């Protein structure tokens, strides 16, 4: 019996706009809220009252963090997460920053353990700081925007650029990141109250 493999010629991306939120199971919602507020600068926001489980929503930097309390996390798992080594190669969420040295000083002042790494590519350096949240989730703070985003030639699709207030003509002269920044700026300007 011969099996045929259908080759997919073209890929059309889903109509995605951006990353909305990250959802995390936590041992204590309020310990995690304090961490994300005090360490990372997130703000507690309202979540739907119809939810029948304990949790909290936070927001800043254009992204949400949704915390869901998981009562099945026992003390042994919790202690293991806090004391395990910080490994930059584990799953993590990463936040862009403007001053990595200031981040390190603030973490030291709070008595938090962290490790650092430097990525070098073509004479460009990226500084990274890794640490755990109260539940052992890895957080990275970096200046990763130092590295240009370069699509690989094997990329099966090209990012689509919409026409927001005549931005299509702007797209011919600028890169994708510049277009996204201009679209975000336009959207934020519409939210100003005078």
């Amino acid at each position: 019996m011969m099996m045929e493999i259908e080759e997919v010629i073209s890929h059309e991306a889903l109509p995605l706009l951006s990353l909305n939120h990250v959802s995390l199971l936590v041992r204590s919602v309020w310990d995690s809220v304090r961490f994300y507020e005090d360490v990372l600068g997130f703000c507690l926001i309202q979540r739907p009252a119809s939810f029948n489980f304990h949790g909290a929503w936070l927001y800043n930097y254009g992204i949400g963090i949704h915390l869901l309390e998981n009562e099945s996390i026992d003390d042994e798992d919790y202690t293991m997460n806090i004391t395990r080594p910080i490994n930059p190669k584990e799953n993590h969420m990463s936040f862009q920053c403007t001053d990595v040295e200031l981040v390190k000083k603030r973490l030291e002042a709070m008595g938090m353990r962290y490790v650092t790494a430097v990525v070098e590519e073509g004479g460009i350096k990226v500084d990274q700081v890794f640490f755990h949240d109260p539940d052992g989730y890895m957080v990275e703070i970096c200046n990763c925007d130092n590295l240009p985003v370069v699509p690989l030639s094997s990329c099966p699709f090209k990012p689509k650029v919409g026409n927001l207030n005549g931005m299509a003509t702007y797209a011919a002269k600028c890169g994708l990141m510049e277009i996204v920044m201009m679209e975000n700026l336009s959207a934020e300007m519409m939210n100003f109250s005078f």
Side-chain angles (χ1 to χ4, degrees):
M1 178 165 100
M2 186 171 173
M3 180 184 259
E4 282 191 58
I5 298 174
E6 183 177 311
E7 186 175 337
V8 178
I9 305 293
S10 68
H11 296 75
E12 186 165 338
L14 297 173
L16 305 180
L17 297 175
S18 64
L19 178 63
N20 180 270
H21 70 272
V22 175
S23 185
L24 303 172
L25 292 175
V26 299
R27 180 174 185 262
S28 166
V29 165
W30 298 119
D31 287 348
S32 293
V33 164
R34 268 196 314 275
F35 172 85
Y36 285 98
E37 284 180 329
D38 296 347
V39 177
L40 297 178
F42 278 79
C43 299
L44 196 58
I45 62 170
Q46 184 175 342
R47 69 191 272 263
S50 61
F51 286 160
N52 62 357
F53 54 90
H54 192 49
W57 286 8
L58 298 114
Y59 185 83
N60 202 353
Y61 318 110
I63 187 173
I65 294 181
H66 296 184
L67 304 173
L68 310 170
E69 192 159 280
N70 182 356
E71 296 171 3
S72 68
I73 299 174
D74 63 23
D75 288 336
E76 187 176 312
D77 289 339
Y78 179 71
T79 304
M80 186 185 78
N81 279 338
I82 299 306
T83 58
R84 78 172 196 262
I86 299 170
N87 181 356
K89 294 180 182 172
E90 289 182 2
N91 291 334
H92 61 274
M93 60 183 121
S94 179
F95 295 94
Q96 182 66 32
C97 79
T98 57
D99 189 340
V100 174
E101 291 304 314
L102 183 62
V103 168
K104 291 193 295 192
K105 286 177 186 172
R106 185 162 181 205
L107 293 175
E108 288 167 9
M110 291 186 275
M112 293 187 59
R113 293 181 325 131
Y114 67 87
V115 299
T116 61
V118 176
V119 175
E120 291 189 50
E121 178 72 25
I124 299 171
K125 284 187 179 182
V126 171
D127 298 300
Q128 302 168 296
V129 179
F130 296 89
F131 53 94
H132 289 140
D133 81 350
D135 291 279
Y137 293 111
M138 180 77 67
V139 177
E140 173 190 3
I141 309 292
C142 68
N143 55 1
C144 293
D145 70 342
N146 288 352
L147 284 176
V149 176
V150 180
L152 298 176
S153 61
S154 63
C155 184
F157 61 89
K158 301 232 183 281
K160 296 195 180 200
V161 177
N163 186 4
L164 178 66
N165 300 332
M167 296 303 270
T169 55
Y170 183 76
K173 298 176 185 169
C174 295
L176 179 63
M177 288 308 297
E178 288 85 356
I179 295 166
V180 171
M181 289 188 315
M182 291 303 291
E183 288 176 347
N184 288 339
L185 177 62
S186 297
E188 287 175 16
M189 290 175 69
M190 289 181 219
N191 290 329
F192 285 146
S193 298
F194 294 100

